Amino acid sequence: MSNENLDQNLNDSQTAEPLIDTFDLIFLLIAGAVAVVYIYKDAIFGNKKIGTAQPAPISNSTLKPAGPPKKNKDFLKRMRDTDKNVILFYGSQTGTAEDYASRLAKEGQQRFGLKTMTVDVEDCDMTLLDKFENDYIAFFIMATYGNTPSEGEPTDDAVDFWELITTESPEFSEGIPVEEKPLSSLRYVVFALGNRTYEHFNAVGRTVDKKLTEFGASRIGERGEGDDDGSLEEDFLGWKEDMWKAVCEAMQIDQSEVKTGDRISAYKITELETFDSNNVYYGEYNEHSLMINSIRPTYDAKNPYPAPITNTHDLFKSTIRNCVHLELDIEGSGINYEAGDHVAIWPMNAEQDVVRLLKILGLWEKRDTVVSVESTDSTVSKKYPFPIPTTYATIFRNYLDIHIPTSRQFIANLANFAPTEEGRSKLTALGQDKEAYRVQVSDAHLTLAEVLESISPDGNPLNSIPLDLIIETLPRLQARYYSISSSPKSTPTSIHVTATVLTFNPSTAPQKTVYGLATNYLLQVSRVLRNIPHPESLPSYLYSGPRNKYCDEATSKIMLPIHVRHNNFKLPKDLKTPVIMVGPGTGIAPFRGFVIERAHYKAQGEEVGDTVLFFGCRRRDEDFLYESELNELFATLDKSGKLITAFSREQSQKVYVQHKLREHDEYVWDLLYNRGGYFYVCGDAKNMARDVNSGLIQIAQLCGAMDEITATNYVKDLRSKGRYLEDVWS
C-alpha cells in the first residue's frame, strides 16, 4: 500500500461509522498487550541468552552512536564559517597527496598569510564548485592510482569527483549546462602525482585540469606534475616556488613584504596522567579492534582483518636470498577474493628502528607514556593523525613510517632545531644542495634517526627536535599490496602470498644494508612459525601485535592484519579464450592463481583454451618458483597448456622472458590476432613490462605485416579493449 493510499484510508476511518464489535475490541486489546510485552521483553525479563556473547564496549567512554555522524559536505559553508579563502582538495591512496596538501596549506598560511584549509575530496559536495567565490582559490592535489597502476584511475576517495567531471553531461548545483561555463568563478591550482613508468602517467591530475578549464575555471600558474619513480619530492619542491609567485599575484600579495613568522605547531601533544588503559591504542587501527565482544565489522582498508597464517615456507633454494610463501586463513571473516586480486598486509617498523629513534629524541625513558595528539587546526577533516590515546613507542612502531629516507625539505626544516652550529650548517647544506642530498641521504637511504644521529654531539639525545614536526612530516605507515597467488576455485577460504624479501646495499653507502620493511617482517614471522632461529643481525618485529592479539597461544598461530583490494586483472569469462601470461620472478603470483583455476576447470571436463605462461628466473636450481606444482598443473591442462621458461644465468648470455616471447612469435600472434586471446603481464614496470610491450609491437610488425605505427596502435587497441592487462610495479 502506498503512503498516499494509507493516508487516505486513515482519513476515511475518522469519518466512517463505527464498525468494531465487542469481540473485535477485546481481541485488539489483547494483541496490543502482547506487542507491548514483546517490545519491552528485555527490560521486563532481562536478556540472558545462554552461550551468546553480547556486544558491549569495554568501557563507558567508548560508547559510540550506532553509526558515524553524517558529514557536512558543504565546503563553502565551512570556508565562510571559519573565515578561509584557500581550500586544498586532495585525492590520496597512500597518503602522499594528503601530505602535500597539508604542507602547502601550512606554507601558505605561514609565509603568505593565506587562510587555508585541507579536505579530502570525498568529504565534499563537489557540485558546489559552481558557487565558488571569485576571491577564493582552490588547490587540487590529485594522485593517479587504479586497481592496477597502469590503468590511470582515480584514488578510492576521488571516485565520486571523477565521475562528476568525466560524465557526458556534468551537473553542478545551479544546473547550468557545461557549455555555458558553470565554473567561471573558480580559480584553481593543480598538482598531479603519478608514476612515469605507467602508461597513463598523471592521468587523473591532467584530466581534472582539462575538465575544470572546459567548465570555465581559470588555472593559476602551471600544472605541477610529480613522478613517484624517484623524483616526486624534487618535482614538488621545484614546482611550488613558481606556483606561490602566481598565487601571490592572483591574491594581490606583495611578496617583498612577506615575512616568515614563528612556526605554527600542527599538533598539540599532551601526556596523560589519568586514562582508561583499556582505551589506549597499542597499534590497533580503529575502535572495532579495541572493543571486546564487538559486533563483527566489515573488514576493509580502514579495518584490516587479523588473518591466521596456516602454512609458510621459503620458495628459494638459495641460502642468500629468500622468497616467502604464506597462506592466510579468511574463513568466517566475510572476505572474498578472485584470482588476480591484491591482498594488503599492514606491516610494522622494526624494533631496532623504533628504539633508535626513541633514544635520539630523548623519549626512551618515556616510551610507554600515554599521550594524546590532536590537530591545532579546527578546520581539518582529520582531527587526529592516528588512533589516540597511544604511546610514544606505538607512534613510531605502528603509525609513522620511520623507515623511509628523510626528505630534503624536512632536513631543511630540522636545521632550525639543530643543537650546534655545525649541525645546523650541515643540515642547511643538505637541504639546499640537491646533489649532496641525493648522494648522502636519498640514495644512501638515510632515515630520520640516522640524520639526527649525524648531528648529535657525542650521540646525546636531541630534546630540541619538536615531536609535532615529526608527526606532521613523516607519512603514515601504509599497507603493502601483494598479488594474490591462489584461486578461490581451489582454496576459497585461504589467500596465498608470494613475496621476495628485499635487502640491498646502497651504491653511495655500500657498507650499509637496507632491509625492506614489510617483506622482512614476513620473513621473521615465517621463521618463527617454522622454528628457525632469527639472526640478531636482522631486523626484528613485535609480531605478537597490540596486546598480543596477533598470536594465538592455543593454536600456535600468528596473524597478519590484511584486507583485499579487488581489481580488473581477471581471466576472461569464456574458458575457451586463450590466455598468454608473462610473469618473471614473483610476477608469477597472480598467474599461479590463473593456472590453478584453468586446471581446475580442465579437471572437471570443461573445454579450456590455450593457457600459456612465460616464466623467468635466474637458475632453475635456485629460484624456479612452484616448479613441481606448475609441472603438475600443466600436465592437467595437457595440450591446452604451455609453460615456457627463461633462466637468465644458466648461459653466458642472459635470456629473459621478452626474448622467449620473440622466439614464439608465430604462436603468440595466432593466439592474439586469430583467436582473440588475452595478454597479461605482471612484474617490473620500468624494464621488463616495457620490453614486453615493445616485443609485442615487433611481433605485430613481423607476423602481422604491419608498419610500426599500425603495430603500436594495434597493441594500444588491445589495451583499450581490456585484452592487454598489466599488474606491474616500479
Side-chain angles (χ1 to χ4, degrees), residues 243-441:
M243 177 275 294
W244 283 129
K245 293 177 183 177
V247 168
C248 286
E249 182 178 347
M251 298 295 280
Q252 298 181 345
I253 297 172
D254 187 348
Q255 282 193 284
S256 64
E257 297 180 0
V258 171
K259 297 180 180 179
T260 303
D262 295 335
R263 190 182 78 88
I264 302 173
S265 297
Y267 295 101
K268 177 184 178 183
I269 302 170
T270 307
E271 295 184 356
L272 305 180
E273 296 182 0
T274 59
F275 52 87
D276 184 341
S277 60
N278 290 324
N279 295 341
V280 177
Y281 289 86
Y282 290 102
E284 294 91 350
Y285 297 102
N286 52 56
E287 64 181 10
H288 288 298
S289 53
L290 198 63
M291 294 164 66
I292 298 173
N293 296 331
S294 65
I295 299 173
R296 191 187 77 183
T298 299
Y299 294 107
D300 53 22
K302 296 181 180 179
N303 185 42
Y305 170 67
I309 303 171
T310 57
N311 187 22
T312 180
H313 54 272
D314 199 323
L315 292 166
F316 284 170
K317 301 179 182 70
S318 167
T319 58
I320 301 174
R321 299 187 299 144
N322 301 95
C323 183
V324 177
H325 172 87
L326 293 167
E327 298 178 11
L328 305 170
D329 185 3
I330 57 172
E331 186 172 7
S333 67
I335 294 175
N336 58 72
Y337 76 99
E338 294 182 58
D341 284 343
H342 294 155
V343 61
I345 297 178
W346 292 76
M348 60 185 71
N349 288 303
E351 286 302 290
Q352 292 92 327
D353 294 338
V354 175
V355 171
R356 191 173 191 174
L357 188 53
L358 285 168
K359 286 186 174 180
I360 194 62
L361 291 172
L363 294 172
W364 175 247
E365 300 299 329
K366 299 165 60 175
R367 60 189 179 278
D368 296 325
T369 299
V370 176
V371 297
S372 173
V373 182
E374 184 176 347
S375 175
T376 58
D377 185 353
S378 61
T379 66
V380 296
S381 55
K382 295 182 180 179
K383 189 175 182 181
Y384 309 108
F386 36 71
I388 57 98
T390 186
T391 67
Y392 288 121
T394 304
I395 291 173
F396 294 141
R397 179 183 297 117
N398 299 95
Y399 298 140
L400 297 181
D401 194 341
I402 65 174
H403 182 70
I404 60 171
T406 314
S407 72
R408 186 162 65 89
Q409 185 170 12
F410 191 13
I411 288 177
N413 292 337
L414 287 171
N416 298 319
F417 306 97
T420 65
E421 188 58 41
E422 181 182 359
R424 188 177 296 109
S425 298
K426 178 178 180 178
L427 295 186
T428 300
L430 287 174
Q432 294 176 347
D433 189 331
K434 292 182 182 180
E435 183 61 17
Y437 167 80
R438 182 190 66 79
V439 172
Q440 298 179 43
V441 181

Side-chain angles (χ1 to χ4, degrees), residues 70 102 379 475 545 589:
K70 189 174 182 180
S102 298
T379 66

